[in-house]
């Protein structure tokens, strides 16, 4: 039964951990730690909502891993990403034209997402896999808080993307 749980939820667990850690190996390690804790606690035998339980367990393991990592190992480098303006983010990368021509628009979007404050980026990343109720359960937040953070994150992304588009059409 436990092997079935792991098989059904492994990819989901890795994506939840990746939303926090943004590094594949660390995400896989956090997922393994979470499943090991679930196994040891025998909690997998009486799960009502296995997806929510796994999400919460993996979220906690990933957060514990973030706290244990030295700052230099965190994916974001340089000034705090939330302090960067869209222009500064764009200046660190290729010009918008080069991004589009090279087919790296998706990379620019991911860079913009990474530049969001953590309290907005994490729910946004999780929302790709879960609904707001599930994100709230995983993060230990009220569902209304999650929805507000998602709204703010999406608005910030729209603003940053608009700034990139303006630069693109301004010929910079």
């Amino acid at each position: 039964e436990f092997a079935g749980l792991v098989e059904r939820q492994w990819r989901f667990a890795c994506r939840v951990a990746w939303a926090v850690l943004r590094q594949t190996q660390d995400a896989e390690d956090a997922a393994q730690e979470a499943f090991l804790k679930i196994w040891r606690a025998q909690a997998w035998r009486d799960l009502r909502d296995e997806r929510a339980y796994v999400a919460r367990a993996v979220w906690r393991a990933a957060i514990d891993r973030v706290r244990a990592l030295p700052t230099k190992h965190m994916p974001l480098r340089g000034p705090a990403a939330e302090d960067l303006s869209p222009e500064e983010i764009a200046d660190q990368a290729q010009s918008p034209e080069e991004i589009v021509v090279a087919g790296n628009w998706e990379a620019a979007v991911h860079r913009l997402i990474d530049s969001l404050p953590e309290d907005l980026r994490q729910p946004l990343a999780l929302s790709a896999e879960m609904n707001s109720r599930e994100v709230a359960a995983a993060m230990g937040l009220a569902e209304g808080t999650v929805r507000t953070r998602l709204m703010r994150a999406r608005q910030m992304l729209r603003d940053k993307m608009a700034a990139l588009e303006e630069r693109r059409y301004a010929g910079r």
Side-chain angles (χ1 to χ4, degrees), residues 16-23 26-27 29-31 33 37 58-76 118-119 121-122:
V16 169
W18 191 88
V20 176
L21 298 164
R22 291 180 285 171
Q23 293 187 7
D26 288 338
D29 290 348
E33 289 171 21
K37 286 180 183 179
V58 171
W59 180 263
R60 287 180 178 164
I63 292 296
D64 289 346
R65 190 167 273 274
V66 165
R67 290 181 184 135
L69 286 174
T71 307
K72 68 179 182 177
H73 288 104
M74 292 306 294
L76 296 177
E118 283 298 302
D119 66 327
R121 189 194 62 75
Q122 290 176 358

Side-chain angles (χ1 to χ4, degrees), residues 90-102:
D91 287 342
Q92 290 180 357
Q94 301 166 320
S95 73
E97 295 82 10
E98 291 169 339
I99 291 170
V100 172
V101 169

Side-chain angles (χ1 to χ4, degrees), residues 9-167:
Q9 300 297 333
W10 177 254
R11 290 186 65 177
F12 171 71
C14 287
R15 288 190 300 260
V16 169
W18 191 88
V20 176
L21 298 164
R22 291 180 285 171
Q23 293 187 7
T24 303
Q25 187 61 47
D26 288 338
E28 289 174 355
D29 290 348
Q32 283 180 341
E33 289 171 21
F35 279 116
L36 185 59
K37 286 180 183 179
I38 292 169
W39 169 259
R40 286 183 180 154
Q42 298 291 307
W44 56 276
R45 295 186 186 272
D46 300 317
L47 293 179
R48 283 187 228 155
D49 185 354
E50 71 180 33
R51 183 175 162 98
Y53 189 87
V54 167
R56 183 70 177 158
V58 171
W59 180 263
R60 287 180 178 164
I63 292 296
D64 289 346
R65 190 167 273 274
V66 165
R67 290 181 184 135
L69 286 174
T71 307
K72 68 179 182 177
H73 288 104
M74 292 306 294
L76 296 177
R77 294 180 265 320
E82 59 265 25
D83 296 334
L84 296 176
S85 71
E87 292 78 18
E88 290 169 314
I89 293 166
D91 287 342
Q92 290 180 357
Q94 301 166 320
S95 73
E97 295 82 10
E98 291 169 339
I99 291 170
V100 172
V101 169
N104 288 329
W105 183 251
E106 186 175 318
V109 171
H110 284 287
R111 190 174 180 93
L112 292 176
I113 291 170
D114 285 347
S115 74
L116 293 172
E118 283 298 302
D119 66 327
L120 301 180
R121 189 194 62 75
Q122 290 176 358
L124 183 66
L126 289 174
S127 72
E129 300 296 326
M130 301 185 276
N131 63 39
S132 59
R133 181 185 51 78
E134 293 170 326
V135 172
M139 294 182 71
L141 299 171
E143 187 175 354
T145 301
V146 168
R147 288 182 179 166
T148 299
R149 289 181 182 182
L150 287 172
M151 181 184 66
R152 288 178 52 213
R154 290 175 181 141
Q155 184 59 52
M156 286 180 77
L157 278 177
R158 276 191 290 274
D159 294 346
K160 290 176 182 227
M161 290 182 75
L164 278 178
E165 285 294 314
E166 284 178 27
R167 288 187 58 154

